[in-house]
Amino acid sequence: MTIWMNTLTATLSIPNLGSSVPLLATATEGEADSALVLASVLLSLVVIYFASKLGGEICFRINLPPVLGELVGGVIVGVSALGLLIFPEGGATASDSLLMQFLQATSSLTPETAPAVFSAQAEVISVLSELGVIILLFEIGLESDLKELIRVGPQAAIVAVVGVVTPFVLGTVGLVYLFHLDIIPSVFAGAALTATSIGITAKVLSEINRLTSSEGQIIIGAAVLDDILGIIVLAVVASLVKTGEIQVINIVYLMISAATFLIGAILIGRLLRPFYVNLINQMKTRGQLLLVSLSFAFVLSYIAQVIQLEAILGSFAAGLVLAETEKRKELEEQILPIADIFVPIFFVCVGAKTDLSVLNPAIPSNREGLIIAAFLIVVAILGKVVTGFSIFGQPNLNKLAIGVGMIPRGEVGLVFAGVGSASGALSPSTDAAIIMMVILTTFVAPPLLRIVFSEPVPVPQEQQPNP
Amino acid sequence: MTIWMNTLTATLSIPNLGSSVPLLATATEGEADSALVLASVLLSLVVIYFASKLGGEICFRINLPPVLGELVGGVIVGVSALGLLIFPEGGATASDSLLMQFLQATSSLTPETAPAVFSAQAEVISVLSELGVIILLFEIGLESDLKELIRVGPQAAIVAVVGVVTPFVLGTVGLVYLFHLDIIPSVFAGAALTATSIGITAKVLSEINRLTSSEGQIIIGAAVLDDILGIIVLAVVASLVKTGEIQVINIVYLMISAATFLIGAILIGRLLRPFYVNLINQMKTRGQLLLVSLSFAFVLSYIAQVIQLEAILGSFAAGLVLAETEKRKELEEQILPIADIFVPIFFVCVGAKTDLSVLNPAIPSNREGLIIAAFLIVVAILGKVVTGFSIFGQPNLNKLAIGVGMIPRGEVGLVFAGVGSASGALSPSTDAAIIMMVILTTFVAPPLLRIVFSEPVPVPQEQQPNP
């Protein structure tokens, strides 16, 4: 119905049609015109796909990971450069959006109706981007090996804990003693150094065919634990800033719910496996495997989201569980095109939301931040690189690669910066320093990861490792 | 960033955390909490997939088209029954939505924050549903044969014109002379009888493997022309209602833009084909075929949308053009899983938005409508069934099947009802009669189509061979 309503509203807006009073009040009343929202979403997707492929192809040709190209492509179309793809949470309005200007020039969008369409478009693209990372983690889970993950569990746990404690302590102490910052902003900046961005590393590992190596599985396992530790650190720091003390009950709550969720999802998933396979075999209509599997992933994502964890933990757990069924190979094949169209939305949006203006040394207020940033970047990299060497024994492991795999902070650190700045705990320069640290670790990790894994294995990336 | 911001906002809303002042004002200010929007979209998708598969599987087992099951599944979860999946344009609010109540029970959603989350969720699902029908028509275009479509063009044009004129004249004249309605509401109701819903028929044809038959291609061609004629009829009727006269210039504008668009898209697409194949062969990163092809489809959809046509005409034209390249087979394979996850959203939403309460004869005000509805349904079916027999010669064509394929009015008629009712041109009973006509033709066509095509060809529709 909406499709036609759109046409109608559009049709009625031709001035010649002589219809200044909207005939269909219900479709336009106080809401964004859905024809224009659809048009703007279509255009945004074209921009995203163009940016992701242009960046990806260029990076591939100069032997850098394609995902880095997607991030850079996002930066170019995003708030830092062209302003084609921008989001209201950065404070942007419809008039800043080149996309909205293009729509105004080509469609019936007016400056009056633009804000509603802009915010609806940003909302839809944000959700698609979140679905992108959910599907990415589902795919990573599917490609992971639960037995291998459990086998490397102890090492992953060491890597995760060392990788949270080292940068946190180094960062906080360094800021207090070297830069004479107050305790609270120092703790905040230290906390921002803790959590690894699982998406970027996992994508690079997948691109260079190292996801299923022992190192790859340790990195993934540690990054998942890191994510949970990061949530706990954030809760601790947030309550510290707010009340001046640490509320033990929340930490206990978060730890218990995370452990219960992950173990519970895997155990219940294992119990349900025969039912799942049987259900899919019984079903006769198109898409049964995908829809049942994605529904399972979305249910776990929903649960993870509402118990204050992250949606991506749910889809990762779902992927892990379904990887152990006989449907794994077929599901991997079918999820591939879906990941192809959803995942770039996530990476391009991460790039598009990154504001590079904080890196400009010509702006005086950035300079103090640049010095702190340099310190944070060193700590961020060193604090994670050491993690691999915290694994004793295991001489065959590429320990440097493990540490490097933990470097990217991605979106996680940006949240700390956002929270810190909004709460008044961070000065603008420290805030900018955290953002710079995030940008640099995110962009530096993919090429570094390729280098430390030396030559990529010569298997083409599209190929499934078949039994 | 959003993912983590979500977690953050969610985390901060645990009362124990002692954070009543939102730390991150930018993320929550006046907008729906994006963590909860994501959670509600995930839940909506699970509901949609469950409804589509449950309905589809049941229909398959009783030898009805699965798409009918998806529509019925949508009705069951939608506004007519469970109220799980409802949309504000029907006048529903957050408190009517069972999904929102479930979210309130399981997450940090409150009655105060529910309306914003509800409208954002509905917005996202509506766009996903529109993307669903865009992808469906792209797939249909890919599976169609442009040469065959051009060959059957004259027949399709006859079918389209006869199928617009017959029900319009019969309906309008019948209402004026048999039911003594005024001219304007009669014209409105007559106009509502004109346009075929291409989505439902195309899906059924595809399900029974008749899409590429001559009959199938005539139906698709006629339905596409019908869609354009429908837009023109709507413009004419709307201007008639508004000004009491018909504005020839708009009709000319719409006809020229439709013809220019379709012919132009196909000609330019043909010119660009070697470039397209070459571009994809040059690209080295994952998903290149899909992203380039979908971008092409989205650009054409955008253009169709902003020149007052429909987005689906653009994606259909894109599919037609790409079907003639050497990438067709590969693209068809890759688009399959994407259609599998997007298309059910469209059909379930069509069902969910259908309000069956107008069919209840226990409500006195429905009774007058039911009589008019019975008349409209007869005209709607007869007016389209005759179209096949308007093709002279061609004794081998299944003419009944062509007419039956044109029966479903789907969403198109609902727009007429909505416009008519909002403009005051239609009385509530005539309005309800149009809605009933739409419901019945939509639901009756899929099984009828199967019957008139007698036995389905015995090719299994799920063609992935399992080892």
Side-chain angles (χ1 to χ4, degrees):
Chain A
M1 190 161 88
T2 342
I3 298 282
W4 252 73
M5 281 201 173
N6 300 347
T7 311
L8 169 75
T9 334
T11 310
L12 295 182
S13 62
I14 317 177
N16 292 345
L17 208 68
S19 167
S20 58
V21 181
L23 283 179
L24 192 64
T26 48
T28 48
E29 202 173 71
E31 296 213 344
D33 177 339
S34 56
L36 294 174
V37 174
L38 178 62
S40 65
V41 168
L42 289 171
L43 218 51
S44 308
L45 289 175
V46 172
V47 168
I48 288 171
Y49 290 161
F50 183 76
S52 85
K53 282 290 103 175
L54 189 68
E57 289 290 324
I58 290 174
C59 278
F60 184 85
R61 276 163 175 72
I62 54 178
N63 209 24
L64 287 173
V67 65
L68 183 63
E70 299 189 6
L71 289 169
V72 174
V75 169
I76 290 168
V77 297
V79 63
S80 301
L82 297 179
L84 273 164
L85 190 71
I86 57 175
F87 295 88
E89 66 251 39
T93 63
S95 55
D96 302 325
S97 165
L98 200 61
L99 197 87
M100 288 299 132
Q101 288 171 28
F102 182 79
L103 267 166
Q104 286 182 30
T106 57
S107 76
S108 57
L109 189 71
T110 62
E112 289 72 40
T113 54
V117 172
F118 173 64
S119 91
Q121 177 260 136
E123 181 81 58
V124 172
I125 295 293
S126 292
V127 170
L128 289 178
S129 144
E130 290 167 30
L131 287 176
V133 67
I134 287 173
I135 288 168
L136 173 64
L137 267 285
F138 181 62
E139 200 187 17
I140 300 293
L142 262 186
E143 290 172 17
S144 293
D145 183 340
L146 184 56
K147 289 194 195 75
E148 175 69 11
L149 262 185
I150 292 172
R151 198 184 63 76
V152 302
Q155 285 105 306
I158 294 172
V159 169
V161 171
V162 172
V164 164
V165 172
T166 319
F168 179 71
V169 171
L170 281 183
T172 308
V173 171
L175 288 174
V176 170
Y177 287 96
L178 298 179
F179 294 87
H180 308 296
L181 261 65
D182 289 340
I183 291 283
I184 295 272
S186 301
V187 167
F188 230 110
L193 294 167
T194 56
T196 295
S197 162
I198 182 171
I200 288 161
T201 290
K203 188 85 167 83
V204 177
L205 287 173
S206 168
E207 282 173 1
I208 60 176
N209 266 300
R210 298 288 189 160
L211 197 56
T212 50
S213 65
S214 290
E215 290 86 358
Q217 290 292 293
I218 290 176
I219 294 173
I220 296 300
V224 167
L225 293 175
D226 232 27
D227 227 27
I228 296 168
L229 291 176
I231 295 168
I232 294 168
V233 169
L234 184 59
V236 173
V237 174
S239 78
L240 187 67
V241 171
K242 182 84 191 106
T243 63
E245 58 188 46
I246 292 168
Q247 302 201 330
V248 179
I249 194 163
N250 288 310
I251 303 170
V252 173
Y253 166 82
L254 282 169
M255 289 171 79
I256 292 176
S257 66
T260 313
F261 174 75
L262 274 184
I263 297 169
I266 289 169
L267 288 183
I268 293 171
R270 283 188 158 184
L271 283 177
L272 292 179
R273 256 178 350 211
F275 173 73
Y276 161 85
V277 172
N278 195 32
L279 178 68
I280 287 166
N281 287 337
Q282 293 288 317
M283 289 170 82
K284 308 289 181 203
T285 55
R286 226 182 98 165
Q288 79 281 51
L289 174 61
L290 264 181
L291 295 189
V292 173
S293 308
L294 280 181
S295 295
F296 178 59
F298 290 166
V299 166
L300 287 189
S301 299
Y302 174 79
I303 295 172
Q305 182 86 326
V306 297
I307 62 168
Q308 331 289 359
L309 295 175
E310 285 196 66
I312 56 172
L313 289 179
S315 63
F316 177 72
L320 273 184
V321 169
L322 299 187
E324 291 192 301
T325 68
E326 68 193 57
K327 297 288 176 194
R328 174 190 192 148
K329 192 169 164 294
E330 203 182 328
L331 188 53
E332 273 186 344
E333 276 165 17
Q334 294 189 21
I335 210 80
L336 203 73
I338 292 169
D340 283 346
I341 67 161
F342 271 106
V343 178
I345 308 176
F346 173 69
F347 287 114
V348 171
C349 285
V350 168
K353 288 176 178 174
T354 303
D355 188 355
L356 285 189
S357 63
V358 298
L359 285 176
N360 184 356
I363 300 170
S365 60
N366 283 348
R367 286 179 204 151
E368 192 196 338
L370 280 170
I371 297 167
I372 301 178
F375 169 74
L376 289 182
I377 289 164
V378 171
V379 172
I381 293 176
L382 284 185
K384 290 292 185 183
V385 167
V386 297
T387 57
F389 299 100
S390 62
I391 304 174
F392 289 105
Q394 311 273 352
N396 294 328
L397 277 183
N398 186 339
K399 292 170 181 178
L400 183 61
I402 294 175
V404 170
M406 304 296 289
I407 289 178
R409 302 306 197 282
E411 57 285 5
V412 183
L414 294 176
V415 174
F416 277 88
V419 178
S421 148
S423 68
L426 289 179
S427 67
S429 61
T430 321
D431 184 48
I434 293 177
I435 295 176
M436 288 183 230
M437 179 276 294
V438 169
I439 292 172
L440 216 104
T441 54
T442 302
F443 284 77
V444 98
L448 279 186
L449 205 50
R450 279 207 155 180
I451 294 168
V452 295
F453 266 120
S454 63
E455 283 303 292
V457 260
V459 183
Q461 51 159 188
E462 300 286 321
Q463 189 177 322
Q464 317 289 327
N466 297 334
Chain B
M1 188 160 91
T2 341
I3 298 281
W4 252 73
M5 283 202 170
N6 300 346
T7 313
L8 169 77
T9 334
T11 310
L12 294 181
S13 63
I14 318 175
N16 292 345
L17 208 66
S19 166
S20 60
V21 180
L23 284 180
L24 192 64
T26 48
T28 48
E29 203 172 69
E31 295 212 344
D33 178 340
S34 57
L36 294 173
V37 173
L38 178 62
S40 67
V41 169
L42 288 171
L43 217 51
S44 307
L45 289 176
V46 172
V47 167
I48 287 170
Y49 291 160
F50 183 77
S52 84
K53 283 290 104 175
L54 189 68
E57 289 290 324
I58 290 172
C59 278
F60 184 87
R61 276 166 175 71
I62 55 180
N63 210 23
L64 286 173
V67 65
L68 183 63
E70 299 190 7
L71 288 170
V72 174
V75 169
I76 291 168
V77 297
V79 63
S80 300
L82 296 180
L84 272 164
L85 190 70
I86 59 176
F87 295 86
E89 67 250 37
T93 61
S95 55
D96 301 326
S97 164
L98 201 59
L99 198 84
M100 288 299 133
Q101 287 171 30
F102 182 79
L103 265 167
Q104 286 182 32
T106 56
S107 75
S108 56
L109 189 72
T110 62
E112 288 74 38
T113 56
V117 172
F118 172 63
S119 92
Q121 176 262 140
E123 181 80 59
V124 173
I125 294 294
S126 291
V127 171
L128 289 177
S129 143
E130 289 166 31
L131 287 176
V133 69
I134 287 172
I135 288 168
L136 173 65
L137 267 286
F138 181 63
E139 199 187 16
I140 300 294
L142 263 185
E143 289 171 20
S144 291
D145 183 340
L146 184 57
K147 289 195 194 71
E148 174 70 11
L149 262 186
I150 291 171
R151 199 184 63 76
V152 302
Q155 286 104 308
I158 294 171
V159 169
V161 172
V162 173
V164 165
V165 172
T166 320
F168 178 72
V169 172
L170 281 183
T172 308
V173 171
L175 288 174
V176 170
Y177 287 96
L178 298 178
F179 294 88
H180 310 295
L181 260 62
D182 289 340
I183 291 282
I184 294 274
S186 302
V187 168
F188 231 111
L193 293 168
T194 56
T196 295
S197 163
I198 180 171
I200 288 160
T201 290
K203 186 88 169 93
V204 176
L205 287 173
S206 169
E207 281 173 0
I208 61 177
N209 266 302
R210 297 288 189 161
L211 198 55
T212 48
S213 67
S214 290
E215 290 87 357
Q217 290 292 293
I218 291 176
I219 295 172
I220 296 298
V224 166
L225 293 175
D226 231 28
D227 225 28
I228 297 167
L229 292 175
I231 294 170
I232 294 168
V233 169
L234 184 60
V236 174
V237 173
S239 78
L240 187 68
V241 170
K242 182 85 191 97
T243 63
E245 58 188 45
I246 291 169
Q247 302 200 327
V248 178
I249 193 161
N250 289 310
I251 302 170
V252 173
Y253 167 82
L254 282 169
M255 287 171 82
I256 291 175
S257 66
T260 313
F261 175 76
L262 273 184
I263 297 169
I266 289 169
L267 289 184
I268 294 173
R270 282 187 159 187
L271 282 177
L272 291 179
R273 256 177 350 209
F275 173 73
Y276 161 84
V277 171
N278 196 31
L279 178 69
I280 287 166
N281 287 339
Q282 293 288 318
M283 289 170 81
K284 308 290 181 200
T285 54
R286 227 181 99 167
Q288 79 280 49
L289 174 62
L290 266 181
L291 295 190
V292 173
S293 309
L294 281 180
S295 295
F296 178 59
F298 290 166
V299 166
L300 288 189
S301 300
Y302 173 80
I303 296 172
Q305 182 86 327
V306 296
I307 62 168
Q308 331 290 359
L309 296 174
E310 284 196 67
I312 57 173
L313 289 179
S315 64
F316 178 72
L320 273 185
V321 169
L322 299 187
E324 290 191 303
T325 68
E326 67 192 57
K327 298 287 172 193
R328 175 188 190 146
K329 196 168 163 293
E330 202 183 330
L331 188 53
E332 273 186 346
E333 277 166 16
Q334 293 189 21
I335 210 77
L336 203 73
I338 292 169
D340 284 346
I341 68 163
F342 272 105
V343 178
I345 307 176
F346 172 69
F347 288 113
V348 170
C349 285
V350 168
K353 288 175 177 173
T354 304
D355 188 355
L356 285 187
S357 64
V358 297
L359 285 176
N360 184 358
I363 300 169
S365 59
N366 284 346
R367 284 177 206 152
E368 192 195 340
L370 279 170
I371 298 165
I372 302 178
F375 169 73
L376 289 182
I377 289 163
V378 172
V379 173
I381 293 175
L382 284 185
K384 291 291 185 182
V385 167
V386 298
T387 58
F389 299 99
S390 62
I391 304 174
F392 289 104
Q394 311 272 354
N396 294 328
L397 276 182
N398 186 338
K399 292 172 180 175
L400 183 60
I402 292 172
V404 170
M406 304 295 289
I407 289 178
R409 300 308 196 282
E411 57 286 4
V412 184
L414 293 176
V415 174
F416 278 88
V419 180
S421 149
S423 68
L426 289 178
S427 69
S429 61
T430 321
D431 183 47
I434 293 177
I435 295 176
M436 287 183 232
M437 178 277 291
V438 169
I439 293 172
L440 216 103
T441 55
T442 301
F443 284 79
V444 97
L448 278 185
L449 204 50
R450 279 210 157 179
I451 294 168
V452 293
F453 267 120
S454 64
E455 280 306 291
V457 259
V459 183
Q461 50 159 192
E462 196 70 22
Q463 286 179 348
Q464 281 108 356
N466 294 333

